[in-house]
């Protein structure tokens, strides 16, 4: 049995968690060609990809890539609804686009925000085109704006290879994704939510359906036909049950 975490002992965590934390730290501390730590950029846009290299979330920040991405991965969002949209377990690769130039005092606050919006929309268009669902899990719409040329991108996997081989198993991912769908549906049933959150729920259901269908197709003819014939109808057991009771 894995040891429980003891209060005040942050190092007492499972090996898998420690390895992922180390990979996240490496990701957040990587440097560009000029020796700048990429995630220290105050302004930028970013995208998360899952274990199938499917884009799942696009965002922007004016507080630093490090802080914003870190809150996502530790599920420390201030919005309780947002915490039910994206499961950090799903994230395998982080793609970052630092906008160093926006730190220049020549830009006004409105100009910076305009460029951030344009860069986020450019990234959104890029990844939605790549997506098999033509959608990501953002609850809020990414406003359509004028095109903005994206800067050099930096991407890094935050899941070590050995752990990836374990976590990528579709049955494990289906269980996690089904839990996310259930949580989203519960939030929707309890609150007056946006249309965007309902759209996110639909996207998550489609993602779950794809995993389940792909998993079923992997088995092919390896399992015998279930009783009930080719139609898949359940056999009539009512008489047998009655006889058993009597």
């Amino acid at each position: 049995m894995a040891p429980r975490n003891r209060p005040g002992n942050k190092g007492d965590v499972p090996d898998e968690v420690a390895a992922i934390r180390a990979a996240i730290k490496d990701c957040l501390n990587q440097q560009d060609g000029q020796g700048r730590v990429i995630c220290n950029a105050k302004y930028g846009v970013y995208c998360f990809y899952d274990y199938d290299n499917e884009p799942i979330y696009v965002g922007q920040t004016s507080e630093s890539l490090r802080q914003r991405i870190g809150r996502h991965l530790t599920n420390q969002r201030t919005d309780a609804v947002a915490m039910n949209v994206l499961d950090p377990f799903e994230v395998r690769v982080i793609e970052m686009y630092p906008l160093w130039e926006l730190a220049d005092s020549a830009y006004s606050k409105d100009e910076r925000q305009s460029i951030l919006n344009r860069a986020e929309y450019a990234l959104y268009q890029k990844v939605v085109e790549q997506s098999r669902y033509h959608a990501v899990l953002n609850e809020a719409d990414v406003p359509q704006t004028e095109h903005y040329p994206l800067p050099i991108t930096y991407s890094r996997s935050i899941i070590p290879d050995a752990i990836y081989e374990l976590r990528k198993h579709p049955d494990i991912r289906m269980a996690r994704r089904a839990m996310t769908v259930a949580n989203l549906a519960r939030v929707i049933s309890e609150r007056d939510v946006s249309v965007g959150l309902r759209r996110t729920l639909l996207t998550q259901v489609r993602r779950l359906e794809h995993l389940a269908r792909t998993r079923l197709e992997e088995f092919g003819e390896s399992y015998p036909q279930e009783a009930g014939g080719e139609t898949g109808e359940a056999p009539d057991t009512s008489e047998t049950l009655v006889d058993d009771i009597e």
Side-chain angles (χ1 to χ4, degrees):
M1 179 181 296
R4 294 183 179 180
N5 295 343
R6 292 188 294 273
N9 187 357
K10 296 182 180 180
D12 187 15
V13 297
D15 290 344
E16 177 180 322
V17 175
I20 294 174
R21 286 182 180 178
I24 292 173
K25 183 177 180 180
D26 287 343
C27 174
L28 297 180
N29 289 332
Q30 65 177 306
Q31 299 180 0
D32 65 10
Q34 300 181 43
R36 298 175 296 189
V37 177
I38 297 160
C39 277
N40 286 350
K42 180 175 174 61
Y43 305 97
V45 295
Y46 58 92
C47 180
F48 297 145
Y49 292 82
D50 70 7
Y51 286 64
D52 295 320
N53 205 34
E54 176 73 24
I56 54 178
Y57 192 87
V58 169
Q60 62 166 270
T61 183
S62 58
E63 61 177 341
S64 89
L65 287 165
R66 179 183 298 277
Q67 291 187 43
R68 181 58 62 89
I69 291 172
R71 286 212 304 273
H72 277 296
L73 298 180
T74 55
N75 219 349
Q76 294 179 356
R77 303 290 300 280
T78 55
D79 184 351
V81 173
M83 290 176 63
N84 288 299
V85 171
L86 179 67
D87 178 7
F89 187 96
E90 293 261 26
V91 181
R92 183 193 177 206
V93 172
I94 302 174
E95 189 175 58
M96 299 161 287
Y97 297 81
L99 298 170
W100 299 103
E101 65 274 18
L102 294 189
D104 192 318
S105 59
Y107 289 98
S108 68
K109 181 178 180 180
D110 288 344
E111 288 173 332
R112 290 191 182 100
Q113 189 58 58
S114 174
I115 292 175
L116 276 172
N117 291 344
R118 291 168 59 193
E120 183 181 29
Y121 184 67
L123 179 56
Y124 171 77
Q125 285 184 303
K126 170 180 174 289
V127 301
V128 164
E129 184 176 345
Q130 296 173 351
S131 168
R132 66 166 52 92
Y133 315 105
H134 299 293
V136 288
L137 298 177
N138 293 56
E139 175 192 355
D141 290 328
V142 178
Q144 182 174 355
T145 62
E146 297 177 357
H147 176 72
Y148 186 84
L150 289 171
I152 296 175
T153 179
Y154 302 87
S155 63
R156 180 76 65 90
S157 170
I158 60 170
I159 306 298
D161 291 343
I163 297 174
Y164 168 69
E165 290 300 319
L166 296 173
R167 282 194 169 194
K168 74 174 183 178
H169 195 289
D171 289 345
I172 295 175
R173 295 167 62 209
M174 279 191 292
R176 296 282 308 197
R177 201 166 290 178
M179 182 173 62
T180 300
V181 168
N183 287 338
L184 273 175
R186 175 182 54 78
V187 169
I188 289 173
S189 72
E190 296 173 349
R191 304 188 182 199
D192 183 14
V193 301
S194 66
V195 172
L197 193 63
R198 294 182 181 275
R199 181 182 61 230
T200 297
L201 175 62
L202 175 59
T203 302
Q204 281 286 32
V205 169
R206 292 173 63 197
R207 285 162 46 78
L208 176 59
E209 186 274 339
H210 173 78
L211 267 183
R213 175 165 41 81
T214 302
R215 183 62 170 152
L216 179 62
E217 291 172 351
E218 288 176 356
F219 287 96
E221 301 296 327
S222 61
Y223 280 89
Q225 182 76 30
E226 292 185 5
E230 294 183 358
T231 62
E233 297 177 356
D236 183 1
T237 61
S238 57
E239 292 185 1
T240 304
L241 291 174
V242 171
D243 291 341
D244 289 344
I245 293 173
E246 293 176 350

